[in-house]
Amino acid sequence: MQLEQSFHIAAPTDLVWKAFHDIELLVDCLPGASINTAATASEEGAIPLLFKVKLGPIAAGFAGQGRLNLDEASNSGAIVGTAVDARSNSRVKGEAHFSVIAAPDGGTNVEVKVDHTITGSLAQFSREGIVRALAEQLTKQFAENLQARLPQPATAGDVHGSGVAGAASSAASRPAQKDTSSIDLWTLIKALLAGLFSSRRN
């Protein structure tokens, strides 16, 4: 299945592009995702990752390997990975291609194209409507988290947090605690159904 998402960051393009060099920062900004410290990289350059998903009483923890590839010339790149949930015997494989583009307002637009497959017992929840609702929510939260982690404009009267210093890669500037709570798909499904019924009534 292929998905396309986009979001805007109120920060210069060079700063946002530097942030996309920091895989730990990117993982920190994605709800439900974390670097799996209990695992080791399968090969040089690979990052052991963990992604937690919850659907009512069903909880899945996809453990796998990811890799960040960057193209400096075009300010674009891709995160490629595979992961397995041993409990449900489900497997996910995907690629997320992104482009960092200067916006007319001086900020940055980020365009994301995701191509993924899910096999196993959890594949029944990979219907297009559910997956799109999940992708939209993840993109929204990721963008908000990334925005909060970047330095705010010096002219702003209310600076929201210290952000990431200079190159957006200083570990000391990161929050002391990482929210590793799982993504609740059931909440997303209910929101999706509510939206469908609301549109039908209108």
Side-chain angles (χ1 to χ4, degrees):
M1 181 183 296
Q2 295 183 339
L3 299 170
E4 294 187 9
Q5 297 287 323
S6 63
F7 57 91
H8 180 78
I9 296 293
T13 303
D14 59 344
L15 185 62
V16 177
W17 178 238
K18 287 178 181 178
F20 272 84
H21 285 64
D22 189 342
I23 186 65
E24 293 185 14
L25 173 63
L26 300 180
V27 172
D28 275 349
C29 291
L30 185 63
S34 62
I35 292 180
N36 190 357
T37 57
T40 56
S42 59
E43 58 185 42
E44 185 178 357
I47 306 295
L49 300 175
L50 181 64
F51 188 75
K52 297 179 181 179
V53 181
K54 184 178 181 182
L55 180 60
I58 303 175
F62 285 91
Q65 303 283 326
R67 179 182 292 276
L68 175 62
N69 301 318
L70 298 172
D71 183 349
E72 299 290 345
S74 61
N75 277 17
S76 63
I79 298 176
V80 183
T82 60
V84 176
D85 175 51
R87 182 179 302 178
S88 64
N89 194 28
S90 299
R91 179 182 296 271
V92 61
K93 179 179 180 181
E95 298 183 12
H97 297 266
F98 55 85
S99 297
V100 177
I101 305 168
D105 64 356
T108 303
N109 293 328
V110 180
E111 297 179 353
V112 183
K113 296 182 180 180
V114 179
D115 189 358
H116 76 282
T117 57
I118 301 177
T119 58
S121 60
L122 292 181
Q124 61 183 308
F125 302 114
S126 63
R127 297 175 182 175
E128 184 174 357
I130 297 175
V131 174
R132 288 192 182 279
L134 174 61
E136 290 175 1
Q137 185 66 18
L138 285 176
T139 301
K140 178 178 180 293
Q141 294 183 22
F142 175 86
E144 291 175 351
N145 292 339
L146 181 59
Q147 181 71 72
R149 298 288 292 277
L150 294 174
Q152 301 300 308
T155 56
D158 183 15
V159 178
H160 301 287
S162 59
V164 180
S169 62
S170 172
S173 63
R174 291 179 180 150
Q177 294 183 341
K178 163 74 164 69
D179 181 8
T180 56
S181 58
S182 59
I183 296 298
D184 191 344
L185 288 181
W186 180 237
T187 299
L188 293 177
I189 293 172
K190 289 191 292 185
L192 175 63
L193 292 176
L196 289 175
F197 283 116
S198 176
S199 62
R200 288 180 179 179
R201 286 196 296 269
N202 296 333

